Amino acid sequence: MAPAFEQVPTDTETQTEAPHNASNTVNNDDAQADHKSRVAVVGSGNWGSVAAKLIASNTLKLNSFHDEVRMWVFEETLQCGEKLTDVINRTNENAKYLPGIKLGKNVIADPDLENAVKDANLLVFVTPHQFMEGICKRLVGKVREDAEAISLIKGMEVKMEGPCMISTLISEQLGINCSVLMGANIANEIAVEKFSEATVGYRDKREIAEQWVRLFSTPYFIVTPVQDVEGVELCGTLKNIVAIAAGFVDGLDMGNNTKAAIMRIGLREMIAFSKLLFSSVRDSTFFESCGVADVITTCLGGRNRKVAEAFAKNGGRRSFDELEAEMLQGQKLQGVSTAREVYEVLSHRGWLELFPLFATVHEICVGHLAPSAVVEHSETKLSLF
Ligand SMILES: NC(=O)c1ccc[n+]([C@@H]2O[C@H](COP(=O)([O-])OP(=O)(O)OC[C@H]3O[C@@H](n4cnc5c(N)ncnc54)[C@H](O)[C@@H]3O)[C@@H](O)[C@H]2O)c1
Ligand SMILES: O=P(O)(O)OC[C@H](O)CO
């Protein structure tokens, strides 16, 4: 019988390369150097730092990658007076965004964006989505022509022409192909090597997806490729709106059944919205880690949920910006801006009635409705889909 989904390659299937010191390898790194891939990570927040750690553990083991992983850091001065980049390079820890976790000595923090990417043919983008337009503008003409990109960013932009996924922004601005990696991935849990899964969405070349799978996979981080960039990326993006709704439910002590209902309705709106935007989106994508699994983890343990809970407990009297700054110390929420961006698309296309949960979350975030409206306005009208 044909499998319902693409088969998950096991760790041993995906990591078929000989390790550096295997007896059948030629010990001449310089001679092979030109054929090796160089990785740069653009971003160094909570997930960015964990992604760099995962990648760095693999570039040390796999022959086809240079050991060094260059990580662009948005420079800031810490309370101790030292630059964040200097602290990372001295201690091998990101003291602000991932304290207590060694990244690997082959992770080199670099505050110079152009310098960080100039030699890399594998570019990993992992910043909050609101900064990506500016970052892309700075990188036009500065990346290798043969570079491949992957976006770990959960978010979208809305332009005059309509919605623009972050992978599309990267592809169009930089003229390079861009895959995506999304999943049920609370960074702090992966940092301490708790078992997780993730999904790589790729466009057409399976070998590109396999390269990303090799770069990210570890025995505790299992990565599955699916040929559905838009579906995977929309899952990662839209689940943040559902997480905000789940936080409202928690803040109002509505209980587990209500939260499960919100997750179900949210997933249904995610599927319907994704398919209306891109008819190519596959149903099976929503059963991968990037889909239902991310909805669950984000509604149980994510930052969007946590700050939305505080917002509801305060009856909406303290703004998300204020709560985010106080509770996350520099880390950024994606759900509030994504709710606004999706609301713009819904209004513009006349779809507000079709997506009561998405629309209501935005209206609560901006203070037009009380947090309790999350259930009052979420009766699903999606029978068309
Ligand atoms: N943290 C997680 O558990 C997690 C898991 C999966 C996916 N993601 C996604 O990964 C992306 C990045 O999130 P994160 O958790 O790594 O970041 P974060 O929220 O922990 O950190 C914020 C980052 O933004 C940077 N920054 C602040 N101002 C900036 C500016 N003007 N220009 C550029 N950068 C600036 C900070 O230096 C910091 O690196 C997001 O889309 C998020 O949804 C996060
Ligand atoms: O902490 P959040 O809410 O940004 O969610 C983190 C990840 O996206 C969960 O997969």
Side-chain angles (χ1 to χ4, degrees):
M1 197 173 73
F5 315 113
E6 290 192 54
Q7 291 291 292
V8 179
T10 65
D11 204 49
T12 43
E13 278 167 349
T14 56
Q15 298 197 2
T16 48
E17 291 176 41
H20 279 311
N21 295 324
S23 56
N24 62 345
T25 57
V26 180
N27 261 337
N28 184 349
D29 279 356
D30 288 343
Q32 295 177 357
D34 284 342
H35 306 294
K36 293 187 176 198
S37 290
R38 271 185 197 278
V39 188
V41 177
V42 176
S44 55
N46 188 232
W47 183 220
S49 301
V50 176
K53 173 183 185 281
L54 281 170
I55 292 167
S57 71
N58 280 331
T59 58
L60 280 184
K61 286 188 207 131
L62 301 175
N63 244 337
S64 58
F65 300 98
H66 279 278
D67 288 355
E68 181 183 294
V69 175
R70 213 147 256 270
M71 179 173 77
W72 174 65
V73 174
F74 178 76
E75 190 64 290
E76 56 188 294
T77 304
L78 300 183
Q79 276 183 346
C80 61
E82 216 178 335
K83 298 267 193 237
L84 177 56
T85 309
D86 293 337
V87 173
I88 296 173
N89 287 333
R90 182 171 56 74
T91 64
N92 197 229
E93 285 182 25
N94 186 336
K96 177 156 181 187
Y97 296 99
L98 191 67
I101 302 291
K102 295 289 178 201
L103 301 179
K105 291 222 160 72
N106 50 330
V107 175
I108 308 298
D110 189 339
D112 180 335
L113 180 60
E114 285 181 30
N115 190 57
V117 302
K118 73 177 172 21
D119 296 325
N121 63 318
L122 296 178
L123 299 171
V124 178
F125 288 93
V126 54
T127 71
H129 75 280
Q130 56 269 38
F131 303 129
M132 272 312 292
E133 195 150 18
I135 288 171
C136 282
K137 281 199 180 119
R138 290 172 61 190
L139 288 179
V140 172
K142 310 288 184 197
V143 302
R144 276 172 57 167
E145 280 179 9
D146 65 344
E148 277 287 332
I150 193 163
S151 171
L152 278 52
I153 299 164
K154 294 176 173 173
M156 68 199 284
E157 291 281 323
V158 178
K159 298 174 173 292
M160 295 288 279
E161 316 83 78
C164 174
M165 302 314 295
I166 299 298
S167 65
T168 309
L169 182 76
I170 293 168
S171 278
E172 287 180 352
Q173 297 271 311
L174 307 185
I176 56 178
N177 182 50
C178 188
S179 307
V180 297
L181 182 146
M182 310 276 145
N185 297 149
I186 290 180
N188 290 335
E189 297 179 14
I190 300 165
V192 292
E193 307 191 357
K194 292 184 176 171
F195 178 84
S196 304
E197 297 178 308
T199 315
V200 160
Y202 68 99
R203 208 161 284 290
D204 41 25
K205 292 193 183 133
R206 175 81 187 192
E207 63 275 17
I208 304 283
E210 281 166 1
Q211 171 154 254
W212 292 121
V213 168
R214 274 198 305 282
L215 188 63
F216 281 94
S217 293
T218 70
Y220 62 88
F221 192 68
I222 306 299
V223 185
T224 306
V226 300
Q227 194 175 5
D228 184 4
V229 173
E230 283 81 15
V232 173
E233 192 168 8
L234 276 160
C235 279
T237 299
L238 299 172
K239 67 84 189 171
N240 283 329
I241 308 179
V242 186
I244 299 278
F248 295 152
V249 167
D250 286 345
L252 297 172
D253 277 331
M254 289 176 168
N256 294 327
N257 295 340
T258 307
K259 192 145 122 183
I262 290 298
M263 288 158 75
R264 187 196 70 81
I265 295 166
L267 183 61
R268 204 162 154 175
E269 292 197 359
M270 285 167 56
I271 296 170
F273 186 79
S274 303
K275 291 183 149 218
L276 277 176
L277 280 194
F278 299 97
S279 57
S280 60
V281 167
R282 295 160 57 166
D283 284 329
S284 57
T285 299
F286 297 92
F287 293 93
E288 299 289 347
S289 177
C290 63
V292 64
D294 201 5
V295 170
I296 293 170
T297 204
T298 204
C299 290
L300 297 179
R303 300 168 297 183
N304 285 286
R305 187 219 64 82
K306 182 174 157 183
V307 178
E309 179 184 39
F311 180 90
K313 272 196 199 311
N314 282 285
R317 284 180 294 278
R318 298 187 65 200
S319 72
F320 268 99
D321 282 349
E322 193 184 343
L323 292 166
E324 177 190 68
E326 183 180 297
M327 297 174 75
L328 300 185
Q329 283 113 32
Q331 295 186 31
K332 300 285 180 198
L333 293 179
Q334 307 281 264
V336 175
S337 47
T338 302
R340 186 189 63 240
E341 286 144 6
V342 166
Y343 193 91
E344 272 180 56
V345 177
L346 299 181
S347 323
H348 191 250
R349 301 202 175 185
W351 294 347
L352 276 170
E353 293 275 301
L354 296 174
F355 296 91
L357 182 66
F358 287 172
T360 302
V361 167
H362 170 67
E363 291 185 1
I364 296 171
C365 289
V366 295
H368 293 166
L369 291 172
S372 58
V374 71
V375 288
E376 291 152 17
H377 290 245
S378 292
E379 176 198 339
T380 184
K381 295 171 185 159
L382 290 172
S383 52
L384 279 177
F385 305 106

